[in-house]
Amino acid sequence: MTMLSTSLMKAPAGNSANNPARPGSYCLENADVCDKAMSKARSRLLVGVAVFFCSFALMGVRTIELGFSEPMAERPVAHKVVVQPVEFGRADILDRNGEILATNLETSSLYANPSMIEDAAEATRKLIEVLPELSEADIQSKLSSSRKFVWLKRKLTPREKWEVNALGIPGFQFQREEERIYPHGRLASHVLGYVDVDGNGLGGVEHFFDYRLNEKSRRNEPIQLSLDIRVQYALADELEAAMRAHEAKGAAGLVLDVNTGEVVAMASLPDYDPNNMRGVGGQERFNRVTQGVYELGSTFKTFTFAAAMDNNIIDFEDEYDATKPLRVSRFWIRDDHPKARVLTVPEVFAFSSNIGTAQIALDLGTDQQKEFLSELGLLEPSNLELTEVGAPLYPSNWRKVSTMTISYGHGIAVSPVQLASGIATMVNGGRHIPATLIHKNEDWADGRQVIKPSTSQKIRQLLRLAVMKGTGGNANAVGYRVGGKTGTAEKAQDGGYNRKALISSFIGAFPMDNPQYVVFALLDEPKGTRETHGFASGGWTAAPVVRNVIMRAAPLLGVSPVEEDEGLYHQAGLLIEDKKKR
């Protein structure tokens, strides 16, 4: 405006000499010309202002639009690979009390578009500096390829992602993914199983329920297991301590609710951490509770006695001659704790006489023995919700000698979960309830009646007697009325048996006046110690594990200790006392 006003006020050049300039004299003399010039200047100014405001408004609208648009990283652009977003929502796995056993965390995985990498060697060198566990040759090969997409590393930690991002390499991108997390680490690993890098279940319930865990309609419905993680810890801790003390190759154990079939705890050692499966071998993944089948020795005597009693073949007052070993063909049947005399039925059980039990089996008969074991589900794989389930082993030609040896747990191999389920049937009134890993809301389940309640009552007396006056004394958890049976068997080897390699076990139930739980413990090839006087049998190695687990778990399960009551085994016990007086 100043320049324009000055030029308008200048006088014409021809009049400059004769008409000295006076301020504003030209506009005063030429008003129309000045008015037109001023109007033109104002118009130009208004146009400039309007253009400025329109530009500013357009920028504001664009800013708002960008704020509500998708991130550029998820938009397809030229020469860039678009990775489909991961479907989130693999369901959680909970214990019976709602404790999280398996869940998901959002994480990032690193991929690259090699066509955007200008210097593959330099990019490889920088990446290896922040992720040294990667193979330099493998990474350089990937970055030098003609592909548009290559994975570099899955499931980065937040720090790793930050360090890779700081490299500033344009061809590196991140994909949002889920990582399966197991907060309790090794605890219950054989039950839970694990997943692969893409979140597919590869073991345990993760595999068995893989579809259900991934099913979109059930995204917010976690699977609630029957496990109690507190009891699980007590069981695993005691098994690990015993395995270490006896230098055993492995160990197994479980706690089972006898009235619902729920597995409250299950442990197999050695185990693994499902959070890190790198380097985990078959030995660690092997589930000794469900997949392993073993000759479980004298624990099977419980079934022989129950079958014979339920068929009115024996009663407490009956006697069997155990004065000397029993010869069958070219084999001899001997007692580990020989009494070398005639034994009553309760004595045969309490002192774990193989000789007496084999004679009871002959009185029972092969057909009834097979039928009874079949009714308990011992001749077919368990229906537990795991794919890692072993098939029982038994003779295809069930001869007389098989009937005798199977009566005391030799010549037949079953899994520990099958044994526990069978013993639960023996003490819960005779109802066979299949074992399950899924939590039930009720505390009672109807089952198929296998033996009469009166027979179950007698078996409970015998099991209690075996703890109080027989080979299971080390399992007695004072106040919890424990009943149970020892099991010691030599491992099969090269067509025979290795006398120095034992499977030592104990199966217990409590409280025997109103049984609630079965507890089982097994040690694979334990060694005797000074505390066990060199013995490695089930009564010395596995029975104390069951006792300790009961002492720790019973308060958690709501079972209170009471004063000991000999009435639980009084009838059977009198026969032992009377026999000793003869």
Side-chain angles (χ1 to χ4, degrees):
M1 289 292 293
T2 304
M3 294 175 62
L4 179 61
S5 300
T6 304
S7 64
L8 289 173
M9 290 188 292
K10 287 182 180 179
N15 298 331
S16 58
N18 301 322
N19 299 300
R22 289 179 300 168
S25 61
Y26 179 80
C27 287
L28 291 175
E29 294 174 359
N30 300 278
D32 291 340
V33 176
C34 287
D35 287 342
K36 289 180 181 181
M38 293 294 291
S39 178
K40 190 174 182 179
R42 289 193 193 97
S43 298
R44 290 177 177 174
L45 180 61
L46 289 174
V47 170
V49 171
V51 170
F52 173 78
F53 278 110
C54 286
S55 299
F56 185 79
L58 187 61
M59 291 173 62
V61 170
R62 181 57 178 160
T63 301
I64 294 172
E65 179 187 3
L66 290 174
F68 285 98
S69 67
E70 295 180 355
M72 290 297 292
E74 298 183 8
R75 291 180 160 194
V77 294
H79 68 264
K80 183 176 179 180
V81 175
V82 181
V83 181
Q84 292 297 325
V86 174
E87 289 288 345
F88 289 90
R90 187 173 179 87
D92 289 349
I93 300 175
L94 312 176
D95 85 338
R96 65 188 303 110
N97 299 311
E99 182 77 15
I100 294 177
L101 304 180
T103 189
N104 307 306
L105 290 180
E106 184 177 325
T107 185
S108 296
S109 290
L110 175 64
Y111 68 94
N113 181 350
S115 65
M116 297 179 63
I117 304 293
E118 295 182 358
D119 188 339
E122 179 65 13
T124 299
R125 184 186 63 78
K126 290 183 176 180
L127 184 61
I128 294 299
E129 287 181 356
V130 297
L131 300 176
E133 71 277 9
L134 298 180
S135 166
E136 184 173 356
D138 181 56
I139 295 299
Q140 184 157 349
S141 175
K142 289 181 177 180
L143 297 183
S144 302
S145 69
S146 59
R147 289 180 289 174
K148 300 295 183 182
F149 176 92
V150 291
W151 282 118
L152 299 180
K153 184 180 180 183
R154 308 289 292 274
K155 312 295 177 63
L156 275 68
T157 66
R159 181 176 183 82
E160 287 175 335
K161 180 181 178 181
W162 184 89
E163 290 178 342
V164 172
N165 216 18
L167 296 177
I169 300 176
F172 289 173
Q173 299 293 336
F174 299 98
Q175 167 68 14
R176 290 192 309 118
E177 292 193 291
E178 279 187 330
E179 183 170 13
R180 197 65 162 167
I181 298 297
Y182 302 89
H184 296 277
R186 294 176 175 272
L187 209 55
S189 56
H190 288 93
V191 176
L192 296 173
Y194 57 99
V195 298
D196 65 13
V197 71
D198 293 311
N200 302 307
L202 295 182
V205 296
E206 290 277 26
H207 182 249
F208 190 90
F209 291 111
D210 188 49
Y211 175 76
R212 178 176 166 185
L213 288 165
N214 279 323
E215 194 176 12
K216 293 181 181 179
S217 62
R218 298 180 182 271
R219 293 180 64 163
N220 297 319
E221 296 181 17
I223 290 180
Q224 189 163 25
L225 300 183
S226 56
L227 296 185
D228 186 322
I229 201 64
R230 303 169 302 172
V231 180
Q232 179 73 28
Y233 176 78
L235 175 65
D237 188 50
E238 292 296 337
L239 283 173
E240 187 173 6
M243 181 177 167
R244 187 167 51 248
H246 295 285
E247 300 179 18
K249 292 177 60 177
L254 76 157
V255 178
L256 183 76
D257 188 319
V258 305
N259 292 312
T260 65
E262 293 173 286
V263 176
V264 180
M266 177 190 293
S268 175
L269 299 174
D271 55 11
Y272 59 87
D273 184 352
N275 292 301
N276 182 15
M277 294 300 296
R278 182 179 300 172
V280 175
Q283 182 77 357
E284 291 83 4
R285 288 196 298 267
F286 186 77
N287 188 341
R288 295 172 182 269
V289 181
T290 64
Q291 201 170 3
V293 292
Y294 309 93
E295 293 187 4
L296 292 171
S298 295
T299 58
F300 254 67
K301 291 173 181 171
T302 310
F303 305 133
T304 303
F305 276 69
M309 286 182 175
D310 208 58
N311 285 283
N312 299 315
I313 293 171
I314 62 170
D315 208 341
F316 284 162
E317 292 77 13
D318 293 326
E319 298 178 341
Y320 285 89
D321 186 0
T323 55
K324 59 183 179 181
L326 191 65
R327 182 166 186 171
V328 185
S329 184
R330 59 188 179 89
F331 302 101
W332 289 92
I333 295 177
R334 295 179 170 85
D335 285 345
D336 290 334
H337 313 281
K339 298 299 178 182
R341 61 177 173 83
V342 174
L343 302 175
T344 63
V345 164
E347 287 178 320
V348 172
F349 191 87
F351 301 146
S352 201
S353 171
N354 297 335
I355 299 171
T357 305
Q359 294 178 72
I360 293 173
L362 289 178
D363 290 342
L364 175 65
T366 299
D367 292 340
Q368 285 186 304
Q369 182 189 53
K370 288 180 65 176
E371 182 181 355
F372 187 78
L373 296 179
S374 179
E375 284 286 303
L376 292 173
L378 295 173
L379 302 184
E380 58 186 17
S382 169
N383 290 322
L384 196 69
E385 298 90 350
L386 293 175
T387 53
E388 299 88 354
V389 173
L393 302 175
Y394 51 88
S396 56
N397 183 14
W398 203 301
R399 298 175 298 166
K400 176 182 177 181
V401 64
S402 300
T403 300
M404 298 174 76
T405 60
I406 286 173
S407 72
Y408 55 85
H410 285 256
I412 185 171
V414 301
S415 66
V417 71
Q418 289 178 290
L419 174 71
S421 183
I423 295 296
T425 303
M426 298 297 98
V427 302
N428 70 3
R431 296 169 296 122
H432 180 62
I433 306 168
T436 180
L437 286 168
I438 300 301
H439 177 52
K440 298 179 180 179
N441 292 322
E442 66 275 2
D443 56 7
W444 181 272
D446 293 327
R448 178 167 40 83
Q449 201 72 30
V450 176
I451 59 174
K452 297 184 288 288
S454 59
T455 303
S456 177
Q457 177 65 34
K458 291 178 180 178
I459 291 298
R460 282 151 56 180
Q461 288 191 52
L462 290 176
L463 289 170
R464 179 63 174 158
L465 184 67
V467 170
M468 295 305 294
K469 296 182 179 295
T471 58
N474 286 325
N476 188 36
V478 178
Y480 292 105
R481 296 92 75 204
V482 180
K485 192 73 187 76
T486 56
T488 306
E490 298 166 0
K491 295 180 73 172
Q493 182 177 318
D494 300 328
Y497 289 91
N498 185 346
R499 294 181 63 98
K500 296 182 179 180
L502 301 179
I503 293 293
S504 300
S505 63
F506 187 87
I507 185 83
F510 77 100
M512 291 311 291
D513 54 337
N514 181 25
Q516 300 294 315
Y517 300 96
V518 161
V519 182
F520 172 81
L522 174 150
L523 292 174
D524 186 353
E525 296 190 23
K527 293 181 174 61
T529 64
R530 179 179 299 178
E531 289 75 15
T532 67
H533 309 288
F535 295 110
S537 60
W540 288 100
T541 60
V545 176
V546 171
R547 178 195 63 215
N548 294 343
V549 170
I550 291 174
M551 294 292 288
R552 295 174 64 173
L556 300 173
L557 297 170
V559 180
S560 301
V562 297
E563 291 185 8
E564 297 294 334
D565 182 5
E566 291 191 8
L568 291 175
Y569 59 93
H570 182 66
Q571 182 184 359
L574 281 177
L575 291 171
I576 288 185
E577 297 300 329
D578 288 347
K579 191 67 179 179
K580 284 182 177 179
K581 294 176 182 178
R582 295 177 194 176

